Amino acid sequence: MIAGSSSSGGPNGGPIRTPSRTPSGTSNRTPNGNSNETSHEPLDETADRSDIMSVAVYEWERPFAPWEEPHKIVRSLVPVPAIMVCGYIPPGMETAKLERRPWLEKHYTVSLKKLEKASKWFKNWSKLPAAEPGYFEFEVVGLYAFSILMDIFHDRFELVPAFVELETLAKIAELTQMLECKKALRHLPHVWMDTLWRTKHPDTVEGRDLVLWAHIALVFQDHTKATNIINKVICLWSGRFDHLGLSIDPHVVDGINKQRDSALRRIFRVLHMFMYRLHRGETEHSDAYEAILLGTIYKQLPHHYFAPGLLAPGLPIMVTQVIDDVYRLKTPLLASYVSDAEQPDVDHMDAEQSGRDPWEGLMEDLQFEVEAIEFEL
């Protein structure tokens, strides 16, 4: 995509900016009127002059992978408002307005041959007519991430950082998808990922950072890490999965939603079957003990756990939250209600049932369903 061409936008689908030109051939201002030019030495000093071109790169005006409001657990009585079923539950039921920021701009002097060799996108893009001879411009998701790619493309590995933050690596992954340059990065993405895996493991993050992790692992095709992260997303996401505008494969997004809905259906069926057995007195425990358990479940768990249509897809309920809600019901207060006379009649229980509290059996069954979640790429 080149300034002045008929294309609709840059590699990220954004508008192409045509800057005001100075006699020296460099942009003298950004769209907001503030100059923030950055001079850049030639990335390849050995290249032929006919191979050299100037590139003006702009960073997105809109935030990268915006996270408006963490997904919350709905604890209201049914019917659930439609906006909750769709996913986000923003404050005041209104979508937050994204903060706008000025354009950032940076200039590079690059080798066209090396860009074409490293990136399929550049190979096609460079064949389009430039607005001016040897001058091109487009926009990217992050100037720092793009600068790292430029150093890699031009074999300036001494300038490539050994460690990058999660946000930067996610931007590199997004640029890698759009510029089609994964092979040119060689082993570097896996080095960065392995370092982050130790310092910012997916088990220690949630929300937006978890989505960034999933995007990174998918782009760089680390199937082990991607599966681990996506299984965590399935357990911790409330409502339909939001890829935050990142270029995550729609089939993966659809698979996450289907797995999450399937896990919730299995978990609620286990819970409802347990309550059915309590109603029928089929736990081999006293009626008083069963009545206490049944009453505790009805009284303490959110009402919409028992609502008609609970198994509809996309409900804003987290898998792990259901497990936690049930687990918290086994409290010392509940235990104090159960007297010696209300303990299970061991004489009438077979060897398999003897000593197995029905509550513990319920938790084991629920945990089994969680461990059965296994996303396949």
Side-chain angles (χ1 to χ4, degrees):
M1 310 299 181
I2 301 174
S5 73
S6 59
S7 173
S8 62
N12 300 306
I16 294 294
R17 297 288 179 176
T18 304
S20 300
R21 311 292 297 171
T22 63
S24 63
T26 58
S27 171
N28 65 356
R29 63 185 179 86
T30 57
N32 68 343
N34 297 322
S35 174
N36 64 351
E37 291 182 14
T38 302
S39 61
H40 203 292
E41 294 298 322
L43 291 174
D44 187 0
E45 298 177 356
T46 65
D48 296 333
R49 297 308 301 174
S50 60
D51 180 40
I52 296 296
M53 71 174 183
S54 298
V55 176
V57 184
Y58 301 92
E59 185 171 337
W60 272 8
E61 183 179 20
R62 52 190 178 278
F64 173 71
W67 178 258
E68 297 177 12
E69 176 73 11
H71 296 253
K72 298 178 180 178
I73 303 303
V74 179
R75 296 190 176 280
S76 61
L77 297 175
V78 292
V80 179
I83 191 171
M84 295 182 179
V85 178
C86 295
Y88 283 126
I89 312 174
M93 292 298 182
E94 296 177 356
T95 303
K97 293 183 178 179
L98 301 181
E99 181 182 356
R100 295 177 64 85
R101 58 178 179 172
W103 286 84
L104 301 176
E105 174 184 349
K106 190 169 185 177
H107 290 198
Y108 301 85
T109 303
V110 297
S111 165
L112 181 58
K113 290 180 180 178
K114 291 197 172 183
L115 292 187
E116 291 179 340
K117 181 180 178 181
S119 164
K120 292 181 180 179
W121 185 84
F122 275 116
K123 189 173 184 179
N124 296 325
W125 168 82
S126 60
K127 291 181 171 59
L128 298 175
E132 298 179 19
Y135 178 80
F136 305 90
E137 59 180 27
F138 53 92
E139 63 180 71
V140 296
V141 296
L143 289 178
Y144 178 56
F146 184 78
S147 295
I148 292 174
L149 293 183
M150 288 297 98
D151 286 330
I152 295 173
F153 293 173
H154 291 81
D155 301 320
R156 293 154 56 105
F157 291 101
E158 71 279 5
L159 301 180
V160 176
F163 171 81
V164 295
E165 296 291 348
L166 183 65
E167 174 105 359
T168 300
L169 187 51
K171 291 180 178 180
I172 291 175
E174 189 74 359
L175 285 170
T176 299
Q177 283 281 83
M178 297 174 181
L179 300 180
E180 299 179 82
C181 61
K182 185 166 58 180
K183 288 184 179 180
L185 303 190
R186 307 177 192 181
H187 65 287
L188 287 170
H190 297 283
V191 172
W192 292 325
M193 289 173 64
D194 289 343
T195 303
L196 277 173
W197 198 259
R198 295 189 295 270
T199 60
K200 199 166 188 177
H201 194 278
D203 287 346
T204 67
V205 302
E206 58 184 14
R208 180 177 182 270
D209 285 350
L210 204 55
V211 181
L212 297 184
W213 253 125
H215 178 51
I216 292 166
L218 288 168
V219 168
F220 297 121
Q221 297 182 331
D222 190 321
H223 295 321
T224 300
K225 286 183 174 63
T227 300
N228 180 294
I229 296 165
I230 291 175
N231 287 340
K232 185 174 176 64
V233 169
I234 291 170
C235 291
L236 291 179
W237 205 263
S238 172
R240 311 302 290 173
F241 177 67
D242 185 352
H243 54 76
L244 306 183
L246 299 173
S247 55
I248 297 177
D249 189 332
H251 295 291
V252 173
V253 175
D254 186 57
I256 291 173
N257 287 325
K258 287 181 178 179
Q259 284 269 16
R260 197 193 74 89
D261 292 338
S262 176
L264 281 174
R265 283 195 295 269
R266 296 194 308 270
I267 286 171
F268 280 118
R269 282 169 182 160
V270 168
L271 179 60
H272 295 168
M273 181 57 67
F274 177 72
M275 297 173 66
Y276 176 78
R277 291 177 60 233
L278 290 177
H279 272 296
R280 296 287 298 265
E282 297 177 355
T283 67
E284 301 296 337
H285 288 66
S286 69
D287 291 344
Y289 187 73
E290 291 175 338
I292 291 172
L293 293 181
L294 193 60
T296 301
I297 291 173
Y298 274 125
K299 183 71 174 178
Q300 300 297 329
L301 290 182
H303 293 179
H304 57 271
Y305 281 14
F306 316 107
L310 178 67
L311 304 182
L315 288 177
I317 301 172
M318 281 193 280
V319 169
T320 52
Q321 188 63 47
V322 179
I323 306 298
D324 290 344
D325 285 346
V326 175
Y327 180 80
R328 281 195 292 267
L329 298 185
K330 184 70 173 180
T331 62
L333 181 61
L334 171 62
S336 68
Y337 288 139
V338 185
S339 64
D340 293 338
E342 294 165 341
Q343 294 302 316
D345 185 355
V346 179
D347 294 337
H348 292 85
M349 296 173 64
D350 56 32
E352 182 178 352
Q353 293 175 312
S354 181
R356 188 171 190 256
D357 186 283
W359 201 267
E360 299 300 329
L362 171 63
M363 290 308 305
E364 290 177 9
D365 293 342
L366 292 175
Q367 191 60 40
F368 175 82
E369 297 299 341
V370 173
E371 293 173 357
I373 296 174
E374 186 65 32
F375 187 86
E376 295 184 3
L377 293 173

